[in-house]
Amino acid sequence: MTTKRAPGTDEELLDAVGPAFGRLRRSSLLDVEDPVSQKDLSRTLVLRIVQDAAYEGGREVTVGAVAEHLGVDPSVGSRMVSDCISAGYLVRAASQQDGRRTVLLLSPEGEGLMDRFRRHQRAAYEQITADWSERDRLELARLLVKYVESQDALRHHAQARRTAR
């Protein structure tokens, strides 16, 4: 195993953040109890969007919203959603707000996969940080959650600006 040189300056540390986030997703495939397949790992991207919307007051999610959130072409988003439906993780339903629209909901199997994925991510985090102090483990967790919340706020702000135009 080769070790990478730690960033020496604040600028080098800040430059290292982007590549570090890119490598994070791959680390979730660590060999921990009840591993998630590569295919299901990709599916969790779509399922997380639907699950998060349900937690945010029942906001409805369409195929278009999935594509927009992931930053992919609508046809790619549609294929990703269709794959999740074929796997039994998502179901289509009529919108309660506009019966002409179709929205996405997690199936019981989708909920089960997301529960298993959450446990997998926790086990991977604990394995990766096993030799860290409890203080460092909790501080990183707190800062990661804060980072994602700030990123979501920025995304919602940008969406509101686009909608207002």
Side-chain angles (χ1 to χ4, degrees):
M1 178 175 128
T2 61
T3 58
K4 296 185 183 199
R5 185 177 69 80
T9 66
D10 290 350
E11 287 299 313
E12 289 173 336
L13 179 61
L14 292 173
D15 285 343
V17 170
F21 276 122
R23 292 190 308 269
L24 271 177
R25 184 134 177 97
R26 291 188 304 271
S27 71
S28 64
L29 292 175
L30 286 173
D31 187 21
V32 294
E33 187 175 326
D34 199 16
V36 176
S37 73
Q38 180 71 46
K39 186 70 171 171
D40 279 347
L41 181 65
S42 295
R43 290 170 175 152
T44 63
L45 293 170
V46 174
L47 300 181
R48 173 66 63 207
I49 294 166
V50 176
Q51 189 175 55
D52 286 351
Y55 291 151
E56 295 171 3
R59 187 172 42 87
E60 295 184 334
V61 177
T62 63
V63 173
V66 168
E68 181 179 332
H69 187 85
L70 292 175
V72 298
D73 186 81
S75 63
V76 173
S78 179
R79 283 192 300 275
M80 294 173 78
V81 166
S82 292
D83 176 62
C84 289
I85 291 169
S86 295
Y89 297 137
L90 282 179
V91 294
R92 294 183 194 268
S95 167
Q96 296 302 306
Q97 298 169 358
D98 180 349
R100 298 168 295 179
R101 288 188 332 153
T102 300
V103 297
L104 304 169
L105 303 171
L106 285 179
S107 68
E109 292 81 6
E111 290 283 355
L113 174 62
M114 294 308 290
D115 287 344
R116 199 179 76 181
F117 185 57
R118 181 188 45 77
R119 289 190 306 272
H120 176 80
Q121 288 178 308
R122 170 82 182 256
Y125 185 80
E126 289 175 353
Q127 182 178 335
I128 292 165
T129 60
D131 61 345
W132 295 20
S133 70
E134 189 66 15
R135 181 174 167 263
D136 285 350
R137 293 170 87 183
L138 292 174
E139 183 66 4
L140 177 61
R142 185 186 68 73
L143 290 172
L144 280 172
V145 169
K146 182 178 179 178
Y147 180 90
V148 170
E149 288 171 350
S150 294
Q151 184 181 31
D152 286 346
L154 208 58
R155 178 182 293 121
H156 292 309
H157 181 71
Q159 285 174 343
R161 275 196 331 258
R162 283 191 303 271
T163 302
R165 289 182 192 168

PDB file of all heavy atoms in Angstrom, residues 38-63:
ATOM      1  N   GLN A  38     -22.509  -3.284  -6.124  1.00  0.00           N
ATOM      2  CA  GLN A  38     -22.205  -2.086  -6.914  1.00  0.00           C
ATOM      3  C   GLN A  38     -23.474  -1.552  -7.580  1.00  0.00           C
ATOM      4  O   GLN A  38     -23.711  -0.349  -7.612  1.00  0.00           O
ATOM      5  CB  GLN A  38     -21.145  -2.422  -7.973  1.00  0.00           C
ATOM      6  CG  GLN A  38     -20.769  -1.249  -8.849  1.00  0.00           C
ATOM      7  CD  GLN A  38     -19.963  -0.183  -8.116  1.00  0.00           C
ATOM      8  OE1 GLN A  38     -19.036  -0.507  -7.400  1.00  0.00           O
ATOM      9  NE2 GLN A  38     -20.332   1.070  -8.274  1.00  0.00           N
ATOM     10  N   LYS A  39     -24.295  -2.447  -8.097  1.00  0.00           N
ATOM     11  CA  LYS A  39     -25.534  -2.039  -8.767  1.00  0.00           C
ATOM     12  C   LYS A  39     -26.483  -1.349  -7.778  1.00  0.00           C
ATOM     13  O   LYS A  39     -27.042  -0.285  -8.074  1.00  0.00           O
ATOM     14  CB  LYS A  39     -26.209  -3.260  -9.408  1.00  0.00           C
ATOM     15  CG  LYS A  39     -27.418  -2.929 -10.234  1.00  0.00           C
ATOM     16  CD  LYS A  39     -27.027  -2.197 -11.494  1.00  0.00           C
ATOM     17  CE  LYS A  39     -28.205  -2.071 -12.421  1.00  0.00           C
ATOM     18  NZ  LYS A  39     -27.925  -1.194 -13.529  1.00  0.00           N
ATOM     19  N   ASP A  40     -26.667  -1.960  -6.599  1.00  0.00           N
ATOM     20  CA  ASP A  40     -27.547  -1.354  -5.611  1.00  0.00           C
ATOM     21  C   ASP A  40     -26.952  -0.066  -5.049  1.00  0.00           C
ATOM     22  O   ASP A  40     -27.688   0.850  -4.680  1.00  0.00           O
ATOM     23  CB  ASP A  40     -27.866  -2.332  -4.486  1.00  0.00           C
ATOM     24  CG  ASP A  40     -28.960  -3.319  -4.862  1.00  0.00           C
ATOM     25  OD1 ASP A  40     -29.633  -3.102  -5.889  1.00  0.00           O
ATOM     26  OD2 ASP A  40     -29.152  -4.305  -4.124  1.00  0.00           O
ATOM     27  N   LEU A  41     -25.632   0.023  -5.003  1.00  0.00           N
ATOM     28  CA  LEU A  41     -24.993   1.260  -4.568  1.00  0.00           C
ATOM     29  C   LEU A  41     -25.395   2.401  -5.501  1.00  0.00           C
ATOM     30  O   LEU A  41     -25.745   3.495  -5.051  1.00  0.00           O
ATOM     31  CB  LEU A  41     -23.470   1.101  -4.545  1.00  0.00           C
ATOM     32  CG  LEU A  41     -22.688   2.315  -4.080  1.00  0.00           C
ATOM     33  CD1 LEU A  41     -22.991   2.612  -2.620  1.00  0.00           C
ATOM     34  CD2 LEU A  41     -21.204   2.069  -4.268  1.00  0.00           C
ATOM     35  N   SER A  42     -25.393   2.150  -6.802  1.00  0.00           N
ATOM     36  CA  SER A  42     -25.830   3.168  -7.763  1.00  0.00           C
ATOM     37  C   SER A  42     -27.311   3.483  -7.593  1.00  0.00           C
ATOM     38  O   SER A  42     -27.720   4.647  -7.711  1.00  0.00           O
ATOM     39  CB  SER A  42     -25.571   2.692  -9.191  1.00  0.00           C
ATOM     40  OG  SER A  42     -24.194   2.570  -9.419  1.00  0.00           O
ATOM     41  N   ARG A  43     -28.097   2.488  -7.320  1.00  0.00           N
ATOM     42  CA  ARG A  43     -29.536   2.702  -7.141  1.00  0.00           C
ATOM     43  C   ARG A  43     -29.823   3.579  -5.933  1.00  0.00           C
ATOM     44  O   ARG A  43     -30.815   4.323  -5.915  1.00  0.00           O
ATOM     45  CB  ARG A  43     -30.256   1.366  -7.006  1.00  0.00           C
ATOM     46  CG  ARG A  43     -30.294   0.579  -8.298  1.00  0.00           C
ATOM     47  CD  ARG A  43     -30.788  -0.839  -8.077  1.00  0.00           C
ATOM     48  NE  ARG A  43     -30.932  -1.530  -9.349  1.00  0.00           N
ATOM     49  CZ  ARG A  43     -30.821  -2.850  -9.479  1.00  0.00           C
ATOM     50  NH1 ARG A  43     -30.575  -3.630  -8.425  1.00  0.00           N
ATOM     51  NH2 ARG A  43     -30.969  -3.401 -10.669  1.00  0.00           N
ATOM     52  N   THR A  44     -28.974   3.504  -4.911  1.00  0.00           N
ATOM     53  CA  THR A  44     -29.221   4.310  -3.708  1.00  0.00           C
ATOM     54  C   THR A  44     -29.153   5.804  -3.999  1.00  0.00           C
ATOM     55  O   THR A  44     -29.726   6.592  -3.252  1.00  0.00           O
ATOM     56  CB  THR A  44     -28.254   3.951  -2.561  1.00  0.00           C
ATOM     57  OG1 THR A  44     -26.909   4.248  -2.948  1.00  0.00           O
ATOM     58  CG2 THR A  44     -28.406   2.506  -2.130  1.00  0.00           C
ATOM     59  N   LEU A  45     -28.477   6.201  -5.072  1.00  0.00           N
ATOM     60  CA  LEU A  45     -28.466   7.617  -5.442  1.00  0.00           C
ATOM     61  C   LEU A  45     -29.894   8.104  -5.707  1.00  0.00           C
ATOM     62  O   LEU A  45     -30.298   9.171  -5.237  1.00  0.00           O
ATOM     63  CB  LEU A  45     -27.609   7.844  -6.691  1.00  0.00           C
ATOM     64  CG  LEU A  45     -26.116   7.622  -6.567  1.00  0.00           C
ATOM     65  CD1 LEU A  45     -25.463   7.653  -7.944  1.00  0.00           C
ATOM     66  CD2 LEU A  45     -25.494   8.648  -5.651  1.00  0.00           C
ATOM     67  N   VAL A  46     -30.628   7.323  -6.474  1.00  0.00           N
ATOM     68  CA  VAL A  46     -32.011   7.666  -6.810  1.00  0.00           C
ATOM     69  C   VAL A  46     -32.912   7.510  -5.584  1.00  0.00           C
ATOM     70  O   VAL A  46     -33.717   8.396  -5.273  1.00  0.00           O
ATOM     71  CB  VAL A  46     -32.530   6.788  -7.972  1.00  0.00           C
ATOM     72  CG1 VAL A  46     -34.012   7.026  -8.233  1.00  0.00           C
ATOM     73  CG2 VAL A  46     -31.705   7.026  -9.232  1.00  0.00           C
ATOM     74  N   LEU A  47     -32.752   6.415  -4.882  1.00  0.00           N
ATOM     75  CA  LEU A  47     -33.609   6.145  -3.723  1.00  0.00           C
ATOM     76  C   LEU A  47     -33.440   7.208  -2.645  1.00  0.00           C
ATOM     77  O   LEU A  47     -34.407   7.597  -1.988  1.00  0.00           O
ATOM     78  CB  LEU A  47     -33.327   4.759  -3.157  1.00  0.00           C
ATOM     79  CG  LEU A  47     -33.549   3.585  -4.117  1.00  0.00           C
ATOM     80  CD1 LEU A  47     -33.256   2.259  -3.423  1.00  0.00           C
ATOM     81  CD2 LEU A  47     -34.940   3.593  -4.702  1.00  0.00           C
ATOM     82  N   ARG A  48     -32.222   7.698  -2.463  1.00  0.00           N
ATOM     83  CA  ARG A  48     -31.962   8.730  -1.446  1.00  0.00           C
ATOM     84  C   ARG A  48     -32.735  10.005  -1.774  1.00  0.00           C
ATOM     85  O   ARG A  48     -33.275  10.650  -0.879  1.00  0.00           O
ATOM     86  CB  ARG A  48     -30.459   9.016  -1.358  1.00  0.00           C
ATOM     87  CG  ARG A  48     -30.085  10.180  -0.452  1.00  0.00           C
ATOM     88  CD  ARG A  48     -30.374   9.973   1.012  1.00  0.00           C
ATOM     89  NE  ARG A  48     -29.577   8.871   1.498  1.00  0.00           N
ATOM     90  CZ  ARG A  48     -29.922   8.110   2.524  1.00  0.00           C
ATOM     91  NH1 ARG A  48     -31.039   8.328   3.168  1.00  0.00           N
ATOM     92  NH2 ARG A  48     -29.154   7.122   2.913  1.00  0.00           N
ATOM     93  N   ILE A  49     -32.822  10.370  -3.039  1.00  0.00           N
ATOM     94  CA  ILE A  49     -33.561  11.574  -3.430  1.00  0.00           C
ATOM     95  C   ILE A  49     -35.029  11.423  -3.059  1.00  0.00           C
ATOM     96  O   ILE A  49     -35.638  12.324  -2.481  1.00  0.00           O
ATOM     97  CB  ILE A  49     -33.396  11.839  -4.942  1.00  0.00           C
ATOM     98  CG1 ILE A  49     -31.940  12.188  -5.251  1.00  0.00           C
ATOM     99  CG2 ILE A  49     -34.344  12.945  -5.413  1.00  0.00           C
ATOM    100  CD1 ILE A  49     -31.594  12.135  -6.724  1.00  0.00           C
ATOM    101  N   VAL A  50     -35.598  10.261  -3.351  1.00  0.00           N
ATOM    102  CA  VAL A  50     -37.010  10.007  -3.040  1.00  0.00           C
ATOM    103  C   VAL A  50     -37.210   9.954  -1.527  1.00  0.00           C
ATOM    104  O   VAL A  50     -38.157  10.544  -0.986  1.00  0.00           O
ATOM    105  CB  VAL A  50     -37.496   8.712  -3.725  1.00  0.00           C
ATOM    106  CG1 VAL A  50     -38.930   8.389  -3.332  1.00  0.00           C
ATOM    107  CG2 VAL A  50     -37.362   8.836  -5.244  1.00  0.00           C
ATOM    108  N   GLN A  51     -36.305   9.290  -0.834  1.00  0.00           N
ATOM    109  CA  GLN A  51     -36.418   9.165   0.625  1.00  0.00           C
ATOM    110  C   GLN A  51     -36.284  10.535   1.293  1.00  0.00           C
ATOM    111  O   GLN A  51     -37.058  10.862   2.196  1.00  0.00           O
ATOM    112  CB  GLN A  51     -35.363   8.206   1.156  1.00  0.00           C
ATOM    113  CG  GLN A  51     -35.540   7.850   2.619  1.00  0.00           C
ATOM    114  CD  GLN A  51     -34.539   6.808   3.053  1.00  0.00           C
ATOM    115  OE1 GLN A  51     -33.337   6.980   2.892  1.00  0.00           O
ATOM    116  NE2 GLN A  51     -35.043   5.716   3.615  1.00  0.00           N
ATOM    117  N   ASP A  52     -35.317  11.325   0.874  1.00  0.00           N
ATOM    118  CA  ASP A  52     -35.136  12.654   1.468  1.00  0.00           C
ATOM    119  C   ASP A  52     -36.364  13.525   1.276  1.00  0.00           C
ATOM    120  O   ASP A  52     -36.751  14.271   2.175  1.00  0.00           O
ATOM    121  CB  ASP A  52     -33.904  13.348   0.882  1.00  0.00           C
ATOM    122  CG  ASP A  52     -32.591  12.772   1.402  1.00  0.00           C
ATOM    123  OD1 ASP A  52     -32.609  11.949   2.343  1.00  0.00           O
ATOM    124  OD2 ASP A  52     -31.542  13.147   0.842  1.00  0.00           O
ATOM    125  N   ALA A  53     -36.991  13.439   0.099  1.00  0.00           N
ATOM    126  CA  ALA A  53     -38.199  14.233  -0.162  1.00  0.00           C
ATOM    127  C   ALA A  53     -39.319  13.849   0.800  1.00  0.00           C
ATOM    128  O   ALA A  53     -40.047  14.719   1.294  1.00  0.00           O
ATOM    129  CB  ALA A  53     -38.647  14.044  -1.604  1.00  0.00           C
ATOM    130  N   ALA A  54     -39.435  12.559   1.089  1.00  0.00           N
ATOM    131  CA  ALA A  54     -40.464  12.099   2.025  1.00  0.00           C
ATOM    132  C   ALA A  54     -40.202  12.666   3.423  1.00  0.00           C
ATOM    133  O   ALA A  54     -41.137  13.035   4.144  1.00  0.00           O
ATOM    134  CB  ALA A  54     -40.493  10.576   2.064  1.00  0.00           C
ATOM    135  N   TYR A  55     -38.925  12.762   3.810  1.00  0.00           N
ATOM    136  CA  TYR A  55     -38.561  13.306   5.117  1.00  0.00           C
ATOM    137  C   TYR A  55     -38.751  14.817   5.186  1.00  0.00           C
ATOM    138  O   TYR A  55     -38.869  15.382   6.255  1.00  0.00           O
ATOM    139  CB  TYR A  55     -37.109  12.970   5.467  1.00  0.00           C
ATOM    140  CG  TYR A  55     -36.857  11.506   5.738  1.00  0.00           C
ATOM    141  CD1 TYR A  55     -35.617  10.947   5.480  1.00  0.00           C
ATOM    142  CD2 TYR A  55     -37.843  10.681   6.254  1.00  0.00           C
ATOM    143  CE1 TYR A  55     -35.363   9.609   5.725  1.00  0.00           C
ATOM    144  CE2 TYR A  55     -37.604   9.342   6.487  1.00  0.00           C
ATOM    145  CZ  TYR A  55     -36.362   8.809   6.228  1.00  0.00           C
ATOM    146  OH  TYR A  55     -36.116   7.495   6.473  1.00  0.00           O
ATOM    147  N   GLU A  56     -38.759  15.472   4.038  1.00  0.00           N
ATOM    148  CA  GLU A  56     -38.897  16.932   3.969  1.00  0.00           C
ATOM    149  C   GLU A  56     -40.358  17.326   3.775  1.00  0.00           C
ATOM    150  O   GLU A  56     -40.682  18.143   2.915  1.00  0.00           O
ATOM    151  CB  GLU A  56     -38.044  17.486   2.826  1.00  0.00           C
ATOM    152  CG  GLU A  56     -36.561  17.302   3.019  1.00  0.00           C
ATOM    153  CD  GLU A  56     -35.756  17.656   1.780  1.00  0.00           C
ATOM    154  OE1 GLU A  56     -36.350  18.109   0.772  1.00  0.00           O
ATOM    155  OE2 GLU A  56     -34.534  17.468   1.814  1.00  0.00           O
ATOM    156  N   GLY A  57     -41.224  16.724   4.508  1.00  0.00           N
ATOM    157  CA  GLY A  57     -42.624  17.108   4.452  1.00  0.00           C
ATOM    158  C   GLY A  57     -43.407  16.524   3.304  1.00  0.00           C
ATOM    159  O   GLY A  57     -44.405  17.091   2.884  1.00  0.00           O
ATOM    160  N   GLY A  58     -42.970  15.415   2.765  1.00  0.00           N
ATOM    161  CA  GLY A  58     -43.729  14.741   1.730  1.00  0.00           C
ATOM    162  C   GLY A  58     -43.665  15.392   0.367  1.00  0.00           C
ATOM    163  O   GLY A  58     -44.573  15.217  -0.436  1.00  0.00           O
ATOM    164  N   ARG A  59     -42.591  16.149   0.098  1.00  0.00           N
ATOM    165  CA  ARG A  59     -42.418  16.753  -1.232  1.00  0.00           C
ATOM    166  C   ARG A  59     -42.451  15.648  -2.280  1.00  0.00           C
ATOM    167  O   ARG A  59     -41.845  14.617  -2.124  1.00  0.00           O
ATOM    168  CB  ARG A  59     -41.071  17.490  -1.268  1.00  0.00           C
ATOM    169  CG  ARG A  59     -40.823  18.285  -2.509  1.00  0.00           C
ATOM    170  CD  ARG A  59     -39.559  19.131  -2.389  1.00  0.00           C
ATOM    171  NE  ARG A  59     -38.440  18.459  -1.775  1.00  0.00           N
ATOM    172  CZ  ARG A  59     -37.552  17.701  -2.427  1.00  0.00           C
ATOM    173  NH1 ARG A  59     -37.677  17.511  -3.723  1.00  0.00           N
ATOM    174  NH2 ARG A  59     -36.544  17.148  -1.794  1.00  0.00           N
ATOM    175  N   GLU A  60     -43.203  15.866  -3.352  1.00  0.00           N
ATOM    176  CA  GLU A  60     -43.327  14.865  -4.408  1.00  0.00           C
ATOM    177  C   GLU A  60     -42.110  14.886  -5.322  1.00  0.00           C
ATOM    178  O   GLU A  60     -41.565  15.952  -5.625  1.00  0.00           O
ATOM    179  CB  GLU A  60     -44.602  15.096  -5.208  1.00  0.00           C
ATOM    180  CG  GLU A  60     -45.852  14.881  -4.378  1.00  0.00           C
ATOM    181  CD  GLU A  60     -47.124  15.018  -5.183  1.00  0.00           C
ATOM    182  OE1 GLU A  60     -47.121  15.726  -6.214  1.00  0.00           O
ATOM    183  OE2 GLU A  60     -48.122  14.409  -4.792  1.00  0.00           O
ATOM    184  N   VAL A  61     -41.689  13.706  -5.769  1.00  0.00           N
ATOM    185  CA  VAL A  61     -40.520  13.577  -6.638  1.00  0.00           C
ATOM    186  C   VAL A  61     -40.950  12.937  -7.950  1.00  0.00           C
ATOM    187  O   VAL A  61     -41.600  11.893  -7.965  1.00  0.00           O
ATOM    188  CB  VAL A  61     -39.431  12.702  -5.973  1.00  0.00           C
ATOM    189  CG1 VAL A  61     -38.249  12.517  -6.907  1.00  0.00           C
ATOM    190  CG2 VAL A  61     -38.980  13.317  -4.663  1.00  0.00           C
ATOM    191  N   THR A  62     -40.560  13.587  -9.044  1.00  0.00           N
ATOM    192  CA  THR A  62     -40.820  13.069 -10.382  1.00  0.00           C
ATOM    193  C   THR A  62     -39.506  12.578 -10.979  1.00  0.00           C
ATOM    194  O   THR A  62     -38.425  12.838 -10.444  1.00  0.00           O
ATOM    195  CB  THR A  62     -41.398  14.173 -11.289  1.00  0.00           C
ATOM    196  OG1 THR A  62     -40.406  15.213 -11.409  1.00  0.00           O
ATOM    197  CG2 THR A  62     -42.698  14.745 -10.732  1.00  0.00           C
ATOM    198  N   VAL A  63     -39.596  11.915 -12.119  1.00  0.00           N
ATOM    199  CA  VAL A  63     -38.396  11.475 -12.832  1.00  0.00           C
ATOM    200  C   VAL A  63     -37.541  12.693 -13.181  1.00  0.00           C
ATOM    201  O   VAL A  63     -36.321  12.675 -13.029  1.00  0.00           O
ATOM    202  CB  VAL A  63     -38.767  10.677 -14.097  1.00  0.00           C
ATOM    203  CG1 VAL A  63     -37.530  10.370 -14.912  1.00  0.00           C
ATOM    204  CG2 VAL A  63     -39.503   9.390 -13.730  1.00  0.00           C
TER     205      VAL A  63
END
